[in-house]
Amino acid sequence: MPLIQFSQRATIKLSQRAFSSCSILLNNNKQQLLEQWRETISRKKVIEHDAITPSAFNLLGNTLNDPVYRHDYLPKNGTELPPAWHQAYFPPRVTEQELSPDGYEQDWKPPSPFTHRMWAGGELEWNVDNPLRVGDQVEMVSSLRDIQFRPAGRRGDSVFIWIDKKISNQKGWAMTETRSWVYVQPTSSSPDKNGSSSSSKKTQAIFELPHHDFSFEITPTPITLFRFSALTFNSHLIHYDHQYATETEHHRGCLVHGPLSYTLMMNTLNRYLKENDPTSVIQSFKYRCRSPLVVNEAIRVQGKADPDTPGQYSLWVADAQGNMAVKGTATVATKSS
């Protein structure tokens, strides 16, 4: 039998075809596994209870250096909870043994190999006629909104998960937060000499930031991140373990929490509204985390009113290089008397 010879180009094409077929098969297996998991997780509901106490309210105020609710000033019963401050409540009540190896709670974690979690964004909606207040007894019901498998992203195959968290007090529904997490496979890239992978190197701003109507600048320090982690009972190593953040996740340093970023956005807009129109309240907010924010690097929280859509504001967080790291849109309503 004559020996069959392949040209180098033909060999490469066959290799590429085999690799492509293998990738399709692997992705099909992952999708099938995720669909099986979706059938189980879609029926899941987590019901939690808490109380809007003045102490947690005040501790978040001190963490954010709020001009009113800091030091030993405790809010009185009936005081409205500022937008996004519900994060001081409903901490994950699980033991250390129930957490992932890198410290996050696993209530909604997809099956292996999707083990690394990042905060992707979210949505919030408030009942302006029934705000949460100090003294409220509250209930939060968490359930799955959606799951999406996205192959071949920046960090390889990924799974996006959206979880609705509906919070009610004694008067009924008060607000809903939808959290979006992205789960990826452990990275195989190695850090450069500065301890950063290619995905987290410092880059120059690509686009000029928009004109803003208001701005707030802050440099989140290790103490800022520790206090926010402690108050929200967030034990994800990426926020306080420098060695893990740089050597395992390959970032320049510990990362600012996604929830802290959007809380700063809400605080900045809320302060602007109260100074200009005290009857206006934030009704909804949608945001997306575009790139990480790193500890000890100055950030700017900015926003502006949409000239074409009354009651709508664009908000963003710019990193130290001027990149728009977090981007969002808020709607504002007039509070009924």
Side-chain angles (χ1 to χ4, degrees), residues 8-41:
Q8 184 178 11
R9 181 176 299 176
T11 302
I12 291 174
K13 285 184 177 180
L14 284 172
S15 298
Q16 290 175 337
R17 191 176 303 159
F19 178 78
S20 176
S21 299
C22 183
S23 297
I24 292 171
L25 181 61
L26 286 173
N27 283 339
N28 286 341
N29 288 340
K30 289 175 182 176
Q31 286 182 308
Q32 184 177 10
L33 185 64
L34 288 169
E35 284 302 321
Q36 292 172 351
W37 175 70
R38 180 202 289 266
E39 291 181 11
T40 301
I41 208 73

PDB file of all heavy atoms in Angstrom, residues 8-41:
ATOM      1  N   GLN A   8       2.076  20.227   4.513  1.00  0.00           N
ATOM      2  CA  GLN A   8       2.007  20.891   5.831  1.00  0.00           C
ATOM      3  C   GLN A   8       0.694  21.638   5.981  1.00  0.00           C
ATOM      4  O   GLN A   8       0.067  21.627   7.034  1.00  0.00           O
ATOM      5  CB  GLN A   8       3.188  21.845   5.992  1.00  0.00           C
ATOM      6  CG  GLN A   8       3.243  22.498   7.383  1.00  0.00           C
ATOM      7  CD  GLN A   8       4.453  23.395   7.543  1.00  0.00           C
ATOM      8  OE1 GLN A   8       5.133  23.690   6.569  1.00  0.00           O
ATOM      9  NE2 GLN A   8       4.719  23.807   8.742  1.00  0.00           N
ATOM     10  N   ARG A   9       0.274  22.288   4.884  1.00  0.00           N
ATOM     11  CA  ARG A   9      -0.978  23.062   4.939  1.00  0.00           C
ATOM     12  C   ARG A   9      -2.166  22.148   5.186  1.00  0.00           C
ATOM     13  O   ARG A   9      -3.057  22.441   5.966  1.00  0.00           O
ATOM     14  CB  ARG A   9      -1.165  23.828   3.632  1.00  0.00           C
ATOM     15  CG  ARG A   9      -2.426  24.682   3.619  1.00  0.00           C
ATOM     16  CD  ARG A   9      -2.530  25.494   2.341  1.00  0.00           C
ATOM     17  NE  ARG A   9      -1.384  26.404   2.242  1.00  0.00           N
ATOM     18  CZ  ARG A   9      -1.190  27.191   1.172  1.00  0.00           C
ATOM     19  NH1 ARG A   9      -2.018  27.139   0.143  1.00  0.00           N
ATOM     20  NH2 ARG A   9      -0.152  27.996   1.153  1.00  0.00           N
ATOM     21  N   ALA A  10      -2.179  20.980   4.493  1.00  0.00           N
ATOM     22  CA  ALA A  10      -3.282  20.035   4.683  1.00  0.00           C
ATOM     23  C   ALA A  10      -3.295  19.505   6.101  1.00  0.00           C
ATOM     24  O   ALA A  10      -4.350  19.330   6.706  1.00  0.00           O
ATOM     25  CB  ALA A  10      -3.167  18.896   3.680  1.00  0.00           C
ATOM     26  N   THR A  11      -2.077  19.245   6.643  1.00  0.00           N
ATOM     27  CA  THR A  11      -1.995  18.749   8.015  1.00  0.00           C
ATOM     28  C   THR A  11      -2.541  19.770   8.996  1.00  0.00           C
ATOM     29  O   THR A  11      -3.261  19.446   9.935  1.00  0.00           O
ATOM     30  CB  THR A  11      -0.529  18.419   8.363  1.00  0.00           C
ATOM     31  OG1 THR A  11      -0.037  17.467   7.435  1.00  0.00           O
ATOM     32  CG2 THR A  11      -0.425  17.864   9.769  1.00  0.00           C
ATOM     33  N   ILE A  12      -2.196  21.044   8.760  1.00  0.00           N
ATOM     34  CA  ILE A  12      -2.690  22.117   9.634  1.00  0.00           C
ATOM     35  C   ILE A  12      -4.210  22.197   9.558  1.00  0.00           C
ATOM     36  O   ILE A  12      -4.903  22.327  10.564  1.00  0.00           O
ATOM     37  CB  ILE A  12      -2.047  23.460   9.242  1.00  0.00           C
ATOM     38  CG1 ILE A  12      -0.551  23.439   9.589  1.00  0.00           C
ATOM     39  CG2 ILE A  12      -2.742  24.614   9.942  1.00  0.00           C
ATOM     40  CD1 ILE A  12       0.204  24.663   9.110  1.00  0.00           C
ATOM     41  N   LYS A  13      -4.762  22.093   8.324  1.00  0.00           N
ATOM     42  CA  LYS A  13      -6.210  22.168   8.168  1.00  0.00           C
ATOM     43  C   LYS A  13      -6.901  21.026   8.891  1.00  0.00           C
ATOM     44  O   LYS A  13      -7.925  21.203   9.552  1.00  0.00           O
ATOM     45  CB  LYS A  13      -6.576  22.157   6.681  1.00  0.00           C
ATOM     46  CG  LYS A  13      -6.291  23.468   5.972  1.00  0.00           C
ATOM     47  CD  LYS A  13      -6.767  23.419   4.536  1.00  0.00           C
ATOM     48  CE  LYS A  13      -6.551  24.760   3.843  1.00  0.00           C
ATOM     49  NZ  LYS A  13      -7.008  24.730   2.432  1.00  0.00           N
ATOM     50  N   LEU A  14      -6.328  19.819   8.780  1.00  0.00           N
ATOM     51  CA  LEU A  14      -6.911  18.676   9.476  1.00  0.00           C
ATOM     52  C   LEU A  14      -6.836  18.862  10.986  1.00  0.00           C
ATOM     53  O   LEU A  14      -7.777  18.548  11.713  1.00  0.00           O
ATOM     54  CB  LEU A  14      -6.182  17.397   9.059  1.00  0.00           C
ATOM     55  CG  LEU A  14      -6.529  16.847   7.671  1.00  0.00           C
ATOM     56  CD1 LEU A  14      -5.590  15.694   7.332  1.00  0.00           C
ATOM     57  CD2 LEU A  14      -7.977  16.391   7.609  1.00  0.00           C
ATOM     58  N   SER A  15      -5.708  19.402  11.460  1.00  0.00           N
ATOM     59  CA  SER A  15      -5.559  19.646  12.899  1.00  0.00           C
ATOM     60  C   SER A  15      -6.569  20.675  13.380  1.00  0.00           C
ATOM     61  O   SER A  15      -7.189  20.533  14.436  1.00  0.00           O
ATOM     62  CB  SER A  15      -4.131  20.121  13.207  1.00  0.00           C
ATOM     63  OG  SER A  15      -3.200  19.132  12.858  1.00  0.00           O
ATOM     64  N   GLN A  16      -6.730  21.748  12.589  1.00  0.00           N
ATOM     65  CA  GLN A  16      -7.694  22.784  12.967  1.00  0.00           C
ATOM     66  C   GLN A  16      -9.109  22.225  12.992  1.00  0.00           C
ATOM     67  O   GLN A  16      -9.903  22.538  13.870  1.00  0.00           O
ATOM     68  CB  GLN A  16      -7.599  23.959  11.990  1.00  0.00           C
ATOM     69  CG  GLN A  16      -6.311  24.768  12.129  1.00  0.00           C
ATOM     70  CD  GLN A  16      -6.212  25.836  11.077  1.00  0.00           C
ATOM     71  OE1 GLN A  16      -6.825  25.753  10.005  1.00  0.00           O
ATOM     72  NE2 GLN A  16      -5.410  26.861  11.348  1.00  0.00           N
ATOM     73  N   ARG A  17      -9.419  21.371  11.976  1.00  0.00           N
ATOM     74  CA  ARG A  17     -10.752  20.787  11.902  1.00  0.00           C
ATOM     75  C   ARG A  17     -10.998  19.868  13.106  1.00  0.00           C
ATOM     76  O   ARG A  17     -12.061  19.879  13.706  1.00  0.00           O
ATOM     77  CB  ARG A  17     -10.901  20.014  10.595  1.00  0.00           C
ATOM     78  CG  ARG A  17     -12.334  19.582  10.300  1.00  0.00           C
ATOM     79  CD  ARG A  17     -12.393  18.911   8.941  1.00  0.00           C
ATOM     80  NE  ARG A  17     -11.884  19.792   7.898  1.00  0.00           N
ATOM     81  CZ  ARG A  17     -11.452  19.349   6.725  1.00  0.00           C
ATOM     82  NH1 ARG A  17     -11.430  18.062   6.463  1.00  0.00           N
ATOM     83  NH2 ARG A  17     -11.014  20.205   5.812  1.00  0.00           N
ATOM     84  N   ALA A  18      -9.982  19.078  13.451  1.00  0.00           N
ATOM     85  CA  ALA A  18     -10.111  18.184  14.599  1.00  0.00           C
ATOM     86  C   ALA A  18     -10.280  18.977  15.886  1.00  0.00           C
ATOM     87  O   ALA A  18     -11.087  18.642  16.744  1.00  0.00           O
ATOM     88  CB  ALA A  18      -8.885  17.274  14.692  1.00  0.00           C
ATOM     89  N   PHE A  19      -9.485  20.081  16.006  1.00  0.00           N
ATOM     90  CA  PHE A  19      -9.600  20.922  17.204  1.00  0.00           C
ATOM     91  C   PHE A  19     -10.976  21.561  17.286  1.00  0.00           C
ATOM     92  O   PHE A  19     -11.603  21.618  18.342  1.00  0.00           O
ATOM     93  CB  PHE A  19      -8.518  22.006  17.184  1.00  0.00           C
ATOM     94  CG  PHE A  19      -8.586  22.956  18.339  1.00  0.00           C
ATOM     95  CD1 PHE A  19      -8.107  22.584  19.591  1.00  0.00           C
ATOM     96  CD2 PHE A  19      -9.142  24.219  18.190  1.00  0.00           C
ATOM     97  CE1 PHE A  19      -8.171  23.454  20.661  1.00  0.00           C
ATOM     98  CE2 PHE A  19      -9.222  25.090  19.257  1.00  0.00           C
ATOM     99  CZ  PHE A  19      -8.727  24.712  20.499  1.00  0.00           C
ATOM    100  N   SER A  20     -11.461  22.055  16.118  1.00  0.00           N
ATOM    101  CA  SER A  20     -12.785  22.674  16.087  1.00  0.00           C
ATOM    102  C   SER A  20     -13.861  21.673  16.477  1.00  0.00           C
ATOM    103  O   SER A  20     -14.768  21.985  17.253  1.00  0.00           O
ATOM    104  CB  SER A  20     -13.054  23.236  14.697  1.00  0.00           C
ATOM    105  OG  SER A  20     -14.353  23.765  14.617  1.00  0.00           O
ATOM    106  N   SER A  21     -13.773  20.446  15.947  1.00  0.00           N
ATOM    107  CA  SER A  21     -14.762  19.412  16.288  1.00  0.00           C
ATOM    108  C   SER A  21     -14.707  19.085  17.774  1.00  0.00           C
ATOM    109  O   SER A  21     -15.737  18.911  18.424  1.00  0.00           O
ATOM    110  CB  SER A  21     -14.508  18.157  15.466  1.00  0.00           C
ATOM    111  OG  SER A  21     -14.625  18.424  14.096  1.00  0.00           O
ATOM    112  N   CYS A  22     -13.473  19.029  18.302  1.00  0.00           N
ATOM    113  CA  CYS A  22     -13.307  18.748  19.734  1.00  0.00           C
ATOM    114  C   CYS A  22     -13.910  19.863  20.574  1.00  0.00           C
ATOM    115  O   CYS A  22     -14.580  19.614  21.574  1.00  0.00           O
ATOM    116  CB  CYS A  22     -11.826  18.571  20.047  1.00  0.00           C
ATOM    117  SG  CYS A  22     -11.484  18.141  21.769  1.00  0.00           S
ATOM    118  N   SER A  23     -13.694  21.121  20.145  1.00  0.00           N
ATOM    119  CA  SER A  23     -14.234  22.265  20.878  1.00  0.00           C
ATOM    120  C   SER A  23     -15.754  22.243  20.868  1.00  0.00           C
ATOM    121  O   SER A  23     -16.410  22.514  21.888  1.00  0.00           O
ATOM    122  CB  SER A  23     -13.723  23.579  20.266  1.00  0.00           C
ATOM    123  OG  SER A  23     -12.326  23.668  20.378  1.00  0.00           O
ATOM    124  N   ILE A  24     -16.331  21.932  19.702  1.00  0.00           N
ATOM    125  CA  ILE A  24     -17.789  21.867  19.609  1.00  0.00           C
ATOM    126  C   ILE A  24     -18.333  20.787  20.540  1.00  0.00           C
ATOM    127  O   ILE A  24     -19.327  20.986  21.249  1.00  0.00           O
ATOM    128  CB  ILE A  24     -18.217  21.598  18.151  1.00  0.00           C
ATOM    129  CG1 ILE A  24     -17.890  22.813  17.273  1.00  0.00           C
ATOM    130  CG2 ILE A  24     -19.702  21.272  18.070  1.00  0.00           C
ATOM    131  CD1 ILE A  24     -18.082  22.563  15.797  1.00  0.00           C
ATOM    132  N   LEU A  25     -17.649  19.637  20.555  1.00  0.00           N
ATOM    133  CA  LEU A  25     -18.085  18.547  21.423  1.00  0.00           C
ATOM    134  C   LEU A  25     -18.004  18.933  22.893  1.00  0.00           C
ATOM    135  O   LEU A  25     -18.932  18.693  23.670  1.00  0.00           O
ATOM    136  CB  LEU A  25     -17.225  17.306  21.158  1.00  0.00           C
ATOM    137  CG  LEU A  25     -17.560  16.041  21.968  1.00  0.00           C
ATOM    138  CD1 LEU A  25     -18.989  15.603  21.660  1.00  0.00           C
ATOM    139  CD2 LEU A  25     -16.579  14.929  21.659  1.00  0.00           C
ATOM    140  N   LEU A  26     -16.890  19.587  23.269  1.00  0.00           N
ATOM    141  CA  LEU A  26     -16.730  20.020  24.657  1.00  0.00           C
ATOM    142  C   LEU A  26     -17.797  21.038  25.034  1.00  0.00           C
ATOM    143  O   LEU A  26     -18.391  20.977  26.113  1.00  0.00           O
ATOM    144  CB  LEU A  26     -15.329  20.614  24.862  1.00  0.00           C
ATOM    145  CG  LEU A  26     -14.167  19.617  24.899  1.00  0.00           C
ATOM    146  CD1 LEU A  26     -12.844  20.351  24.925  1.00  0.00           C
ATOM    147  CD2 LEU A  26     -14.283  18.696  26.111  1.00  0.00           C
ATOM    148  N   ASN A  27     -18.055  22.007  24.138  1.00  0.00           N
ATOM    149  CA  ASN A  27     -19.075  23.021  24.417  1.00  0.00           C
ATOM    150  C   ASN A  27     -20.456  22.388  24.523  1.00  0.00           C
ATOM    151  O   ASN A  27     -21.266  22.786  25.361  1.00  0.00           O
ATOM    152  CB  ASN A  27     -19.059  24.100  23.339  1.00  0.00           C
ATOM    153  CG  ASN A  27     -17.908  25.069  23.511  1.00  0.00           C
ATOM    154  OD1 ASN A  27     -17.359  25.195  24.609  1.00  0.00           O
ATOM    155  ND2 ASN A  27     -17.525  25.746  22.449  1.00  0.00           N
ATOM    156  N   ASN A  28     -20.738  21.408  23.657  1.00  0.00           N
ATOM    157  CA  ASN A  28     -22.023  20.716  23.737  1.00  0.00           C
ATOM    158  C   ASN A  28     -22.169  19.987  25.069  1.00  0.00           C
ATOM    159  O   ASN A  28     -23.240  19.986  25.681  1.00  0.00           O
ATOM    160  CB  ASN A  28     -22.167  19.726  22.579  1.00  0.00           C
ATOM    161  CG  ASN A  28     -22.431  20.420  21.256  1.00  0.00           C
ATOM    162  OD1 ASN A  28     -22.845  21.575  21.227  1.00  0.00           O
ATOM    163  ND2 ASN A  28     -22.173  19.726  20.157  1.00  0.00           N
ATOM    164  N   ASN A  29     -21.080  19.380  25.524  1.00  0.00           N
ATOM    165  CA  ASN A  29     -21.111  18.691  26.819  1.00  0.00           C
ATOM    166  C   ASN A  29     -21.338  19.678  27.955  1.00  0.00           C
ATOM    167  O   ASN A  29     -22.101  19.408  28.895  1.00  0.00           O
ATOM    168  CB  ASN A  29     -19.805  17.929  27.045  1.00  0.00           C
ATOM    169  CG  ASN A  29     -19.691  16.698  26.149  1.00  0.00           C
ATOM    170  OD1 ASN A  29     -20.692  16.202  25.649  1.00  0.00           O
ATOM    171  ND2 ASN A  29     -18.476  16.224  25.946  1.00  0.00           N
ATOM    172  N   LYS A  30     -20.677  20.844  27.874  1.00  0.00           N
ATOM    173  CA  LYS A  30     -20.854  21.866  28.907  1.00  0.00           C
ATOM    174  C   LYS A  30     -22.282  22.388  28.910  1.00  0.00           C
ATOM    175  O   LYS A  30     -22.886  22.566  29.970  1.00  0.00           O
ATOM    176  CB  LYS A  30     -19.867  23.008  28.691  1.00  0.00           C
ATOM    177  CG  LYS A  30     -18.419  22.658  28.990  1.00  0.00           C
ATOM    178  CD  LYS A  30     -17.494  23.811  28.637  1.00  0.00           C
ATOM    179  CE  LYS A  30     -16.045  23.447  28.882  1.00  0.00           C
ATOM    180  NZ  LYS A  30     -15.121  24.521  28.453  1.00  0.00           N
ATOM    181  N   GLN A  31     -22.815  22.640  27.716  1.00  0.00           N
ATOM    182  CA  GLN A  31     -24.184  23.142  27.627  1.00  0.00           C
ATOM    183  C   GLN A  31     -25.183  22.124  28.166  1.00  0.00           C
ATOM    184  O   GLN A  31     -26.136  22.487  28.857  1.00  0.00           O
ATOM    185  CB  GLN A  31     -24.511  23.499  26.174  1.00  0.00           C
ATOM    186  CG  GLN A  31     -23.845  24.779  25.703  1.00  0.00           C
ATOM    187  CD  GLN A  31     -24.229  25.129  24.290  1.00  0.00           C
ATOM    188  OE1 GLN A  31     -24.119  24.294  23.378  1.00  0.00           O
ATOM    189  NE2 GLN A  31     -24.664  26.344  24.070  1.00  0.00           N
ATOM    190  N   GLN A  32     -24.951  20.844  27.860  1.00  0.00           N
ATOM    191  CA  GLN A  32     -25.849  19.805  28.363  1.00  0.00           C
ATOM    192  C   GLN A  32     -25.791  19.737  29.885  1.00  0.00           C
ATOM    193  O   GLN A  32     -26.818  19.620  30.555  1.00  0.00           O
ATOM    194  CB  GLN A  32     -25.461  18.459  27.759  1.00  0.00           C
ATOM    195  CG  GLN A  32     -26.408  17.314  28.144  1.00  0.00           C
ATOM    196  CD  GLN A  32     -26.018  16.010  27.468  1.00  0.00           C
ATOM    197  OE1 GLN A  32     -24.957  15.900  26.863  1.00  0.00           O
ATOM    198  NE2 GLN A  32     -26.884  15.012  27.566  1.00  0.00           N
ATOM    199  N   LEU A  33     -24.575  19.831  30.436  1.00  0.00           N
ATOM    200  CA  LEU A  33     -24.413  19.820  31.887  1.00  0.00           C
ATOM    201  C   LEU A  33     -25.108  21.014  32.520  1.00  0.00           C
ATOM    202  O   LEU A  33     -25.789  20.888  33.551  1.00  0.00           O
ATOM    203  CB  LEU A  33     -22.913  19.832  32.224  1.00  0.00           C
ATOM    204  CG  LEU A  33     -22.532  19.715  33.701  1.00  0.00           C
ATOM    205  CD1 LEU A  33     -22.971  18.364  34.267  1.00  0.00           C
ATOM    206  CD2 LEU A  33     -21.027  19.896  33.874  1.00  0.00           C
ATOM    207  N   LEU A  34     -24.977  22.196  31.888  1.00  0.00           N
ATOM    208  CA  LEU A  34     -25.599  23.403  32.419  1.00  0.00           C
ATOM    209  C   LEU A  34     -27.122  23.336  32.323  1.00  0.00           C
ATOM    210  O   LEU A  34     -27.822  23.826  33.214  1.00  0.00           O
ATOM    211  CB  LEU A  34     -25.075  24.631  31.678  1.00  0.00           C
ATOM    212  CG  LEU A  34     -23.627  25.019  31.993  1.00  0.00           C
ATOM    213  CD1 LEU A  34     -23.131  26.076  31.022  1.00  0.00           C
ATOM    214  CD2 LEU A  34     -23.508  25.521  33.427  1.00  0.00           C
ATOM    215  N   GLU A  35     -27.639  22.743  31.251  1.00  0.00           N
ATOM    216  CA  GLU A  35     -29.087  22.617  31.120  1.00  0.00           C
ATOM    217  C   GLU A  35     -29.654  21.701  32.199  1.00  0.00           C
ATOM    218  O   GLU A  35     -30.735  21.959  32.749  1.00  0.00           O
ATOM    219  CB  GLU A  35     -29.449  22.095  29.733  1.00  0.00           C
ATOM    220  CG  GLU A  35     -29.334  23.130  28.625  1.00  0.00           C
ATOM    221  CD  GLU A  35     -30.206  24.348  28.865  1.00  0.00           C
ATOM    222  OE1 GLU A  35     -31.347  24.187  29.342  1.00  0.00           O
ATOM    223  OE2 GLU A  35     -29.724  25.474  28.618  1.00  0.00           O
ATOM    224  N   GLN A  36     -28.933  20.643  32.502  1.00  0.00           N
ATOM    225  CA  GLN A  36     -29.366  19.751  33.584  1.00  0.00           C
ATOM    226  C   GLN A  36     -29.359  20.485  34.915  1.00  0.00           C
ATOM    227  O   GLN A  36     -30.264  20.329  35.732  1.00  0.00           O
ATOM    228  CB  GLN A  36     -28.459  18.525  33.638  1.00  0.00           C
ATOM    229  CG  GLN A  36     -28.593  17.605  32.432  1.00  0.00           C
ATOM    230  CD  GLN A  36     -27.545  16.507  32.419  1.00  0.00           C
ATOM    231  OE1 GLN A  36     -26.607  16.512  33.213  1.00  0.00           O
ATOM    232  NE2 GLN A  36     -27.695  15.548  31.500  1.00  0.00           N
ATOM    233  N   TRP A  37     -28.335  21.292  35.112  1.00  0.00           N
ATOM    234  CA  TRP A  37     -28.238  22.073  36.347  1.00  0.00           C
ATOM    235  C   TRP A  37     -29.338  23.127  36.412  1.00  0.00           C
ATOM    236  O   TRP A  37     -29.917  23.380  37.466  1.00  0.00           O
ATOM    237  CB  TRP A  37     -26.858  22.722  36.427  1.00  0.00           C
ATOM    238  CG  TRP A  37     -26.688  23.653  37.591  1.00  0.00           C
ATOM    239  CD1 TRP A  37     -26.603  23.330  38.916  1.00  0.00           C
ATOM    240  CD2 TRP A  37     -26.589  25.073  37.527  1.00  0.00           C
ATOM    241  NE1 TRP A  37     -26.453  24.456  39.682  1.00  0.00           N
ATOM    242  CE2 TRP A  37     -26.431  25.546  38.849  1.00  0.00           C
ATOM    243  CE3 TRP A  37     -26.592  25.990  36.483  1.00  0.00           C
ATOM    244  CZ2 TRP A  37     -26.296  26.900  39.147  1.00  0.00           C
ATOM    245  CZ3 TRP A  37     -26.456  27.342  36.782  1.00  0.00           C
ATOM    246  CH2 TRP A  37     -26.310  27.775  38.095  1.00  0.00           C
ATOM    247  N   ARG A  38     -29.644  23.745  35.240  1.00  0.00           N
ATOM    248  CA  ARG A  38     -30.685  24.770  35.201  1.00  0.00           C
ATOM    249  C   ARG A  38     -32.037  24.200  35.654  1.00  0.00           C
ATOM    250  O   ARG A  38     -32.790  24.867  36.363  1.00  0.00           O
ATOM    251  CB  ARG A  38     -30.822  25.327  33.780  1.00  0.00           C
ATOM    252  CG  ARG A  38     -31.897  26.409  33.655  1.00  0.00           C
ATOM    253  CD  ARG A  38     -32.360  26.533  32.222  1.00  0.00           C
ATOM    254  NE  ARG A  38     -31.348  27.122  31.372  1.00  0.00           N
ATOM    255  CZ  ARG A  38     -31.269  28.427  31.094  1.00  0.00           C
ATOM    256  NH1 ARG A  38     -32.152  29.259  31.607  1.00  0.00           N
ATOM    257  NH2 ARG A  38     -30.328  28.880  30.300  1.00  0.00           N
ATOM    258  N   GLU A  39     -32.340  22.973  35.238  1.00  0.00           N
ATOM    259  CA  GLU A  39     -33.615  22.362  35.610  1.00  0.00           C
ATOM    260  C   GLU A  39     -33.757  22.270  37.118  1.00  0.00           C
ATOM    261  O   GLU A  39     -34.854  22.438  37.664  1.00  0.00           O
ATOM    262  CB  GLU A  39     -33.723  20.971  34.985  1.00  0.00           C
ATOM    263  CG  GLU A  39     -33.883  20.979  33.475  1.00  0.00           C
ATOM    264  CD  GLU A  39     -34.010  19.568  32.918  1.00  0.00           C
ATOM    265  OE1 GLU A  39     -34.187  18.628  33.731  1.00  0.00           O
ATOM    266  OE2 GLU A  39     -33.938  19.405  31.682  1.00  0.00           O
ATOM    267  N   THR A  40     -32.656  22.016  37.807  1.00  0.00           N
ATOM    268  CA  THR A  40     -32.690  21.919  39.268  1.00  0.00           C
ATOM    269  C   THR A  40     -32.729  23.290  39.919  1.00  0.00           C
ATOM    270  O   THR A  40     -33.554  23.558  40.795  1.00  0.00           O
ATOM    271  CB  THR A  40     -31.458  21.142  39.774  1.00  0.00           C
ATOM    272  OG1 THR A  40     -31.454  19.846  39.186  1.00  0.00           O
ATOM    273  CG2 THR A  40     -31.479  21.019  41.293  1.00  0.00           C
ATOM    274  N   ILE A  41     -31.841  24.169  39.460  1.00  0.00           N
ATOM    275  CA  ILE A  41     -31.680  25.460  40.129  1.00  0.00           C
ATOM    276  C   ILE A  41     -32.864  26.392  39.869  1.00  0.00           C
ATOM    277  O   ILE A  41     -33.152  27.289  40.662  1.00  0.00           O
ATOM    278  CB  ILE A  41     -30.349  26.116  39.682  1.00  0.00           C
ATOM    279  CG1 ILE A  41     -29.813  27.042  40.777  1.00  0.00           C
ATOM    280  CG2 ILE A  41     -30.491  26.854  38.365  1.00  0.00           C
ATOM    281  CD1 ILE A  41     -29.239  26.332  41.959  1.00  0.00           C
TER     282      ILE A  41
END
